[in-house]
Amino acid sequence: MRIGVVTFPGSLDDRDAARAVRLAGAEPVSLWHGDRDLSGVDAAVLPGGFSYGDYLRCGAIARFSPVMSELVPAARAGLPVLGICNGFQILCEAHLLPGALTRNAGLRFVTRDLRLRVENAQTAWTRAYRAGQQIVVPLKSGEGAYAAAPDTLADLEASGRVVIRYASGNPNGSAAGIAGVCNAEGNVVGLMPHPEHAVDGLTGPSADGLGFFASVLAGVLA
């Protein structure tokens, strides 16, 4: 299985995401933001970082990158896509996911290891977990507070589209403690925490994040 990892100007975690893909047993494929080609990948990851320096809204410029002109229709056609941190912001800006990511409560950058609760274990990226399972994954963001209109939040809750939730307090003021959501089909998932930094107990707080990458591998090969 080949999983693309998109690099934008300012991406910081593309190599970490590629390593996580490799540890899960898939082949990482580097995708450049300026190319209109997904190289026939079976899934794609939009990694964390500061695409285009976040000089406008986070992800607002990256959504217009040439690669997104191919990724957006592919995602709508069923391609599994995972957006992490800045990648989550890009997915929201591209309208593949609802809502927006706003400045943290207190206007401070937050970096810490957190307990998360898996709410939906049926998406393309969470099948390796069980609903209600708690995992430890790092968070590092300044604009990570998830926000959406009340009717959108109600729909996300009713339809089971809240994928993960903060289980050890609410570090950034996200609505309802939401740390990740998915689209209606479950193939597109956005996460604010960084599972690619929790794939090896020797280099991270746990290996709990590896399940996100293993999930999509198992789903595509099934």
Side-chain angles (χ1 to χ4, degrees):
M1 180 180 174
R2 303 168 74 246
I3 300 179
V5 179
V6 181
T7 298
F8 298 92
S11 293
L12 300 178
D13 298 304
D14 45 348
R15 292 186 180 183
D16 301 89
R19 177 173 178 265
V21 166
R22 190 177 297 108
L23 287 174
E27 176 190 352
V29 177
S30 297
L31 300 177
W32 183 240
H33 73 105
D35 295 335
R36 297 178 184 273
D37 183 8
L38 297 182
S39 300
V41 297
D42 302 296
V45 176
L46 303 185
F50 302 91
S51 60
Y52 294 92
D54 289 346
Y55 293 125
L56 193 57
R57 296 185 312 277
C58 298
I61 301 176
R63 67 159 291 197
F64 294 108
S65 291
V67 73
M68 294 300 292
S69 68
E70 300 299 318
L71 188 140
V72 169
R76 289 177 175 156
L79 181 76
V81 178
L82 176 67
I84 303 169
C85 195
N86 188 223
F88 187 5
Q89 295 160 341
I90 295 169
L91 292 178
C92 289
E93 291 288 343
H95 305 299
L96 287 173
L97 292 175
L101 284 306
T102 62
R103 292 293 301 276
N104 291 346
L107 306 182
R108 292 179 179 273
F109 190 93
V110 176
T111 175
R112 67 182 70 157
D113 300 333
L114 292 173
R115 282 189 298 110
L116 309 172
R117 184 171 64 251
V118 178
E119 303 283 9
N120 183 344
Q122 300 300 316
T123 77
W125 299 91
T126 56
R127 294 190 184 100
Y129 303 105
R130 64 182 184 279
Q133 181 176 350
Q134 293 197 7
I135 59 178
V136 177
V137 173
L139 174 72
K140 51 171 189 171
S141 63
E143 298 191 24
Y146 184 76
D151 58 339
T152 299
L153 291 171
D155 180 64
L156 289 172
E157 297 284 4
S159 58
R161 292 170 59 193
V162 175
V163 177
I164 59 173
R165 212 182 298 265
Y166 298 111
S168 51
N170 191 335
N172 49 27
S174 287
I178 292 173
V181 300
C182 66
N183 65 346
E185 294 74 24
N187 64 298
V188 179
V189 170
L191 308 173
M192 185 46 53
H194 286 263
E196 78 280 14
H197 293 316
V199 294
D200 185 337
L202 290 176
T203 58
S206 71
D208 293 347
L210 191 60
F212 288 98
F213 305 94
S215 291
V216 72
L217 179 64
V220 170
L221 295 180

